[in-house]
Amino acid sequence: MLHFIRSQRIALACAVLCATAGSSPLTAQAVPAAATPAPAAGARGYLVGQVVDKASARPLPTTNVLVIGTTLRTQTDLDGRFRLPVPAGVYSVRAFRLGNVAAQQDGVRITAGVSTTVTFALGAAVVQLQAQTVTAAPTKANSEDALLAMQRASSRVSDGISAEAIKRAPGSNAGDAVVRITGVSIVDNKFAVVRGLAERYSNTLLNGVELPSPEPQKKIVPLDIFPSELLESIVVSKTATPDKPGDFAGGSVEVSTKEFPNTRVADVSFTTGYNSTSTFRNFALAPQRGLDFLGFDNGGRRQQPTPFPTATATDAELEKFAESIRNVWTPKPSPVAPNFGATLNFGGRLGGENAPIGYVLSANLNHETEATPNRFFQIVLDQTGLAETSATLNQAQTSTDLGGIANFALRLGSASKIGWKNLYTRNTEELLSRAIAYSPLDGIGESNELFQARYITRALLQSQLSGDHYFEHLLGSRLEWKATLAEARRDEPENRGLTYFKAQTDSTYGLSSSKNSSFWYRFLRDQVRTAQFDWSTPIARLLGDGALVKFGALVKQRNRQFDGTQFRSQLRNVPQRSAWLFLPPEKIFTPELLGPGLLTIEPTTAGSLPYEADDNVKAYYAMLDVPLRSWLRVITGVRREDWALDIYNVRKDTLPPITTRRNNDVLPSANITLKLSDRQNLRLAAYATVARPDPREVTRDAYESVAGDCLSIGSRDLRRTTIRNADIRWERYPRAGEIIAVSAFAKNFIDPIVELLSIDDAKCVYRPDNATSGTLRGVEFELRRGLAFLPGIGKNLSAGLNMSFVNSNATIPIIVSNSVRDTTRSLRLQGQSDQLANANLLYATTDGRFEVSVLGNYFSDRVARYGSVAQVAGGSIALPDTFEKGRFTLDAKLRRKVGRMNVSLSARNLTDNERTFIQSSKKGSQVVGYLRPGVGVSLGVGYALR
């Protein structure tokens, strides 16, 4: 009873102090009147920012924010954020909350029409009657500073790139930006390789939820499908916590779309671009009309009847089908037009100054043409170095990216909010290719002419409804929930290939009567439904201030439907030397020659096999976040993921599954942060993760990406990979926007998934398989530093450097026959480079109206594909490994603001380095692939509409 009476007296005294001084119930302070000059009438700016807990860096909702000397005040929302319109002037700003020590920032300057950002970190209060004050110098944060602050307070080891840095990087999509992150490189300009691990060992989250992939051959979502103009940030988490999916090893790539602006936004921008290998040069391009410019097929590419003809189709049906195929193979070369892009953004708040509704609307269009003249590749299937196929290609590809977001949020007081986020992005690629291929194994002097026409549309839609609720009377608990529907589509309404042949005695190429031409039609639909909730409760009374218990669950239902049909040309009763066989393709594929008597297009089941897959995950977790001391924070717990994969031939309602997988994985993790000082951390982490095969990787469907290349085929025996991980990282944040960090990591793999080159039915194929084991060790270094100590304009410079050094080893299976394997061979992991480096130098004026950035990227040689030992007629042959040669690229960008106008000039691949692939044989290092992407230059102009 005495304790209760004493507590009531203390509370009453605190209430009196709060009422007299306008501070926290546990703090008070008298503020000099001189700190707050009279505001300017009519002219207003915005005071925005965030309040976090000093010990745990978690947001503090329902915190009072007061502009001293005025009646202006507000409360923070669930994310600890606030926004307050304030007349122009210089003020002192105070943040106070029951149970925390108040903080104050003096000399905060509010400028009319501008958002000024301040941040507060409130420590836990000690119950006492005397006044206590914490003051801080005003800070001017920007998005790069905010990202580093989030990284500094994160419970995991992470690196990222903000919207501000994305704008500085040349390029139009997330793939161009993510390569700037420590330990990240890009394969095929769109797939992220994190810490030297192939792209299949990463996952992609959009607004916190895993995405389906529109790629038939890849597990991870291609980053080039996200226009950079729609992005708020990209963060790569490199260690695991129980509240995040555990299906990764290299990193979890978290993409966030634009959030709600603090002030009303309306702007438009246009870009145009030049490429040294294609723009204004003559190339054969597929004709475009109607909505083709926006990436929507006008129907000309798929005039075939549905369903496609089957093996029982009549000659008349096959002839009708053949005549419906678009007869475009070798259009007249024409100059390539400059690239073009446009972006439109709108954002703001509705409902008055309290702003209960926020919105952001954005649309993006990018249209470009890439040509690769004299692209070279060959397939070497013998250590002697004798090539089975050696080809030189001239190809041009037109691509269109169209994307948009529509995000809305409804704030229900200061303790609840409902969000609705929507993203749609669409990528269309149309390729025309013509190649001369030599086949030394078929005879000296013989060659083939290959024609290919391919049209692919990839689309991704995500709609997410989320809620965030704070329950002050339930120990300050918080409930977060998300319901997400995502769908990825990949339509390939045409992928046509023709093979012409020229013998040693021929003077021209003619349609081959012995090598069939292929016509592929593939349609992929991948839908994911996700529901998840997270409940967190502070348990300060049990484990001290800042302690938190968190638990939650996730259900992910994924359904993939793939419909693929393959046709081949057949010559019937046609003499090999018939004159019409030597005609151009457009003159052969005419109604006069197509028919049962001469040339037919017939279905085959040799490659494309339709299937349907259910790929479901149920996850549960419990996590404890405990600051054991003011300098020691431990985040530990366990996550369980139950995986069920069922694959059906054709449709699941007609046949039982042909392949099933069931795994229940318990994934413990522990992240320890030692706070060596206010700006210095030492992080330790140990955790378990998995890497599951994609449904396509366990089917027998075949895919040929480039005419003449080896087929990619799945393996029904493929198993999921389990990984044990350990990390250590020291990091220091000297000033806002600066970091020095050194990391070391180790990973052990059981059954790592790799891709092997082998032979199937006398044809070369790429097939996934499980290696026996693997290890990876590496270190990373990152430095971002302002150069204000330099004289003159040097004080406006800042520099960044990050480097990674990785070493790995995998025991690779060598297939001798279907039942015999030799697993003694070791090689570094697929996709892994021993060295990675990124460097950047930025010059920015104090007012931020002029910026010049120079960015360099380097990676060393990496394994593109493993070889193996294949059983062929007459014995076995050793198939060599394929490596991609390392290279250095240099990019630059200049931005200038003039009034409401923003002008930018970008340059990519200034070093004009080529991409080269090599194999080792008895002939030494042998080039098996080569292309030169060229130098790209683009000019952009943006204008703020208000």
Side-chain angles (χ1 to χ4, degrees):
M1 178 62 73
L2 290 176
H3 176 74
F4 174 79
I5 294 173
R6 185 180 298 112
S7 299
Q8 295 301 309
R9 290 176 177 174
I10 291 173
L12 178 61
C14 290
V16 172
L17 288 171
C18 179
T20 58
S23 66
S24 158
L26 296 179
T27 63
Q29 180 192 2
V31 180
T36 309
R44 295 191 311 172
Y46 288 90
L47 177 68
V48 299
Q50 187 178 28
V51 183
V52 299
D53 181 79
K54 189 174 183 179
S56 64
R58 289 192 289 267
L60 290 177
T62 66
T63 301
N64 296 290
V65 178
L66 169 69
V67 180
I68 297 176
T70 74
T71 59
L72 300 174
R73 67 168 60 203
T74 188
Q75 276 195 333
T76 60
D77 63 13
L78 287 163
D79 298 317
R81 301 188 182 277
F82 60 89
R83 174 181 180 270
L84 185 65
V86 178
V90 180
Y91 300 89
S92 293
V93 183
R94 171 177 287 266
F96 57 94
R97 184 177 188 269
L98 180 65
N100 292 90
V101 177
Q104 180 174 312
Q105 294 196 24
D106 299 322
V108 177
R109 181 177 297 277
I110 303 296
T111 303
V114 176
S115 295
T116 301
T117 303
V118 294
T119 56
F120 296 95
L122 306 187
V126 179
V127 176
Q128 54 187 12
L129 291 181
Q130 70 268 25
Q132 182 175 355
T133 298
V134 176
T135 60
T139 60
K140 183 180 180 181
N142 53 40
S143 55
E144 189 73 4
D145 295 339
L147 187 68
L148 281 180
M150 181 184 70
Q151 180 176 314
R152 173 183 173 185
S154 173
S155 59
R156 300 188 285 177
V157 173
S158 64
D159 293 294
I161 184 169
S162 67
E164 181 183 56
I166 291 173
K167 289 180 181 179
R168 292 173 182 158
S172 60
N173 59 67
D176 299 317
V178 74
V179 72
R180 313 298 173 187
I181 298 175
T182 306
V184 180
S185 60
I186 287 290
V187 173
D188 296 333
N189 295 321
K190 54 188 174 183
F191 298 111
V193 173
V194 183
R195 287 185 161 178
L197 288 167
E199 66 274 9
R200 67 159 346 280
Y201 288 104
S202 298
N203 65 10
T204 302
L205 308 181
L206 177 62
N207 297 322
V209 177
E210 283 189 275
L211 287 175
S213 175
E215 286 291 332
Q217 292 184 280
K218 301 292 184 180
K219 174 185 174 183
I220 192 173
V221 177
L223 292 176
D224 67 334
I225 204 169
F226 299 110
S228 58
E229 290 290 342
L230 305 184
L231 304 182
E232 183 71 22
S233 65
I234 305 173
V235 175
V236 178
S237 297
K238 298 177 179 178
T239 64
T241 53
D243 58 339
K244 298 292 185 180
D247 185 7
F248 76 93
S252 180
V253 182
E254 302 181 37
V255 179
S256 299
T257 55
K258 285 183 176 178
E259 289 289 348
F260 316 110
N262 292 312
T263 58
R264 188 173 179 182
V265 173
D267 60 67
V268 62
S269 62
F270 300 93
T271 60
T272 184
Y274 166 86
N275 183 275
S276 61
T277 63
S278 56
T279 308
F280 304 129
R281 295 174 180 262
N282 290 331
F283 286 94
L285 300 174
Q288 293 195 338
R289 61 181 182 178
L291 295 178
D292 283 343
F293 187 79
L294 298 177
F296 291 91
D297 182 15
N298 60 16
R301 295 170 184 84
R302 194 192 177 195
Q303 298 174 354
Q304 296 82 15
T306 301
F308 289 101
T310 64
T312 59
T314 65
D315 288 342
E317 291 172 335
L318 291 176
E319 182 176 355
K320 182 180 179 180
F321 165 73
E323 292 176 356
S324 71
I325 296 175
R326 191 167 66 136
N327 192 17
V328 176
W329 302 94
T330 57
K332 182 180 178 181
S334 59
V336 174
N339 300 329
F340 171 80
T343 302
L344 183 63
N345 297 311
F346 286 99
R349 296 168 180 253
L350 303 174
E353 296 298 348
N354 291 328
I357 300 177
Y359 67 93
V360 59
L361 305 172
S362 184
N364 174 271
L365 170 68
N366 191 63
H367 184 86
E368 63 181 34
T369 300
E370 294 182 355
T372 50
N374 300 318
R375 177 180 179 178
F376 171 77
F377 85 89
Q378 64 179 357
I379 300 169
V380 178
L381 298 180
D382 196 324
Q383 286 289 349
T384 61
L386 185 63
E388 181 188 70
T389 299
S390 179
T392 301
L393 301 89
N394 285 283
Q395 55 186 208
Q397 177 174 287
T398 301
S399 62
T400 301
D401 296 301
L402 182 67
I405 59 174
N407 292 348
F408 306 91
L410 172 63
R411 179 176 174 179
L412 305 173
S414 60
S416 289
K417 71 175 180 181
I418 303 294
W420 185 30
K421 292 185 176 182
N422 303 275
L423 176 138
Y424 177 78
T425 180
R426 178 185 181 90
N427 169 265
T428 302
E429 299 174 353
E430 185 161 28
L431 171 77
L432 280 184
S433 176
R434 190 172 182 175
I436 300 298
Y438 298 90
S439 300
L441 296 179
D442 292 341
I444 300 176
E446 297 180 351
S447 62
N448 294 311
E449 187 173 22
L450 308 175
F451 300 89
Q452 184 181 20
R454 186 183 68 198
Y455 184 86
I456 298 174
T457 296
R458 299 176 297 164
L460 178 64
L461 170 68
Q462 186 196 68
S463 184
Q464 180 185 96
L465 187 65
S466 62
D468 200 345
H469 312 280
Y470 176 71
F471 303 98
E472 187 172 5
H473 300 294
L474 291 178
L475 303 176
S477 298
R478 187 167 180 171
L479 170 66
E480 300 173 76
W481 57 268
K482 295 176 182 176
T484 308
L485 173 64
E487 182 174 284
R489 286 181 176 269
R490 187 184 192 275
D491 292 341
E492 196 170 353
E494 68 172 15
N495 190 341
R496 303 175 279 118
L498 286 183
T499 301
Y500 274 46
F501 174 77
K502 184 170 75 70
Q504 188 173 8
T505 56
D506 291 333
S507 58
T508 59
Y509 289 92
L511 186 65
S512 175
S513 59
S514 59
K515 295 186 177 181
N516 295 324
S517 301
S518 296
F519 301 78
W520 303 78
Y521 303 93
R522 304 182 183 89
F523 304 94
L524 172 68
R525 177 179 176 271
D526 205 343
Q527 189 176 81
V528 174
R529 292 182 174 90
T530 304
Q532 65 186 81
F533 82 90
D534 301 274
W535 180 279
S536 56
T537 301
I539 50 175
R541 294 183 180 181
L542 296 178
L543 297 175
D545 292 328
L548 181 82
V549 62
K550 187 176 182 181
F551 60 89
L554 174 144
V555 176
K556 183 179 76 171
Q557 295 180 336
R558 178 187 181 189
N559 177 259
R560 168 176 279 205
Q561 296 177 8
F562 175 79
D563 191 1
T565 306
Q566 182 184 6
F567 295 83
R568 288 182 177 176
S569 64
Q570 295 284 347
L571 292 173
R572 295 186 178 182
N573 303 318
V574 179
Q576 187 173 357
R577 307 296 298 177
S578 294
W580 67 269
L581 292 176
F582 294 88
L583 295 174
E586 284 86 353
K587 293 186 178 181
I588 291 180
F589 282 81
T590 60
E592 293 78 13
L593 297 180
L594 291 173
L598 296 175
L599 174 63
T600 63
I601 308 297
E602 301 176 356
T604 176
T605 59
S608 192
L609 300 175
Y611 67 89
E612 184 168 353
D614 286 332
D615 186 2
N616 301 325
V617 174
K618 294 181 180 179
Y620 321 87
Y621 77 89
M623 185 176 85
L624 195 61
D625 185 348
V626 184
L628 296 178
R629 296 287 187 273
S630 60
W631 49 270
L632 177 61
R633 180 185 179 189
V634 177
I635 301 96
T636 187
V638 64
R639 182 181 184 90
R640 172 174 169 145
E641 294 190 350
D642 298 339
W643 177 50
L645 174 66
D646 293 311
I647 297 180
Y648 304 82
N649 268 339
V650 188
R651 290 290 177 265
K652 67 180 181 181
D653 56 353
T654 60
L655 294 171
I658 58 172
T659 304
T660 61
R661 293 288 187 277
R662 296 292 186 272
N663 288 115
N664 301 327
D665 294 298
V666 177
L667 307 174
S669 64
N671 287 263
I672 300 173
T673 302
L674 287 81
K675 188 176 181 181
L676 306 180
S677 69
D678 284 343
R679 295 186 173 273
Q680 192 173 187
N681 293 326
L682 179 65
R683 298 180 183 271
L684 306 171
Y687 52 99
T689 56
V690 296
R692 303 185 182 99
D694 188 73
R696 187 209 61 82
E697 293 178 311
V698 290
T699 68
R700 290 286 296 171
D701 175 61
Y703 186 80
E704 181 185 47
S705 58
V706 178
D709 198 359
C710 301
L711 294 176
S712 294
I713 299 178
S715 173
R716 291 181 181 175
D717 298 327
L718 205 61
R719 303 179 298 278
R720 65 97 168 82
T721 305
T722 56
I723 310 106
R724 298 294 180 265
N725 312 263
D727 277 71
I728 182 171
R729 174 182 173 118
W730 172 82
E731 57 190 22
R732 186 171 182 268
Y733 300 84
R735 283 168 290 275
E738 297 184 352
I739 182 176
I740 305 171
V742 180
S743 307
F745 51 90
K747 300 176 183 293
N748 290 332
F749 298 80
I750 299 176
D751 296 331
I753 298 174
V754 297
E755 189 176 54
L756 302 177
L757 174 65
S758 60
I759 293 179
D760 191 350
D761 294 332
K763 296 180 180 179
C764 67
V765 297
Y766 302 125
R767 178 182 284 109
D769 204 344
N770 291 105
T772 305
S773 61
T775 61
L776 183 140
R777 306 288 186 268
V779 295
E780 295 174 337
F781 169 78
E782 181 177 13
L783 170 66
R784 298 189 209 178
R785 180 77 164 88
L787 306 180
F789 56 86
L790 294 177
I793 63 173
K795 64 182 180 182
N796 292 328
L797 291 172
S798 60
L801 174 67
N802 64 71
M803 297 183 294
S804 300
F805 303 91
V806 183
N807 180 266
S808 65
N809 184 276
T811 304
I812 307 300
I814 303 178
I815 304 173
V816 178
S817 66
N818 291 332
S819 58
V820 180
R821 296 187 178 196
D822 178 1
T823 59
T824 60
R825 178 169 168 262
S826 295
L827 195 68
R828 68 172 182 254
L829 285 168
Q830 185 176 358
Q832 180 247 311
S833 296
D834 290 339
Q835 299 102 31
L836 288 171
N838 293 293
N840 65 82
L841 183 66
L842 171 68
Y843 171 83
T845 58
T846 305
D847 59 9
R849 291 188 169 274
F850 180 75
E851 291 183 349
V852 178
S853 56
V854 180
L855 309 103
N857 171 260
Y858 168 78
F859 67 87
S860 61
D861 295 359
R862 57 192 179 196
V863 178
R865 289 187 178 93
Y866 296 115
S868 62
V869 173
Q871 195 74 25
V872 296
S876 61
I877 59 174
L879 308 178
D881 305 309
T882 303
F883 295 84
E884 182 177 2
K885 290 286 291 181
R887 63 181 181 272
F888 172 77
T889 58
L890 186 66
D891 303 333
K893 188 168 185 177
L894 178 150
R895 291 196 301 164
R896 171 66 171 162
K897 293 181 180 179
V898 182
R900 292 186 179 184
M901 186 175 294
N902 191 337
V903 181
S904 65
L905 180 65
S906 303
R908 301 177 61 189
N909 192 30
L910 285 170
T911 50
D912 196 19
N913 285 337
E914 68 277 0
R915 297 180 61 191
T916 304
F917 298 84
I918 61 172
Q919 287 180 332
S920 297
S921 66
K922 293 180 180 179
K923 290 185 177 181
S925 182
Q926 191 169 355
V927 175
V928 294
Y930 170 90
L931 65 93
R932 184 179 292 275
V935 178
V937 179
S938 63
L939 174 67
V941 178
Y943 185 78
L945 302 177
R946 59 166 290 119

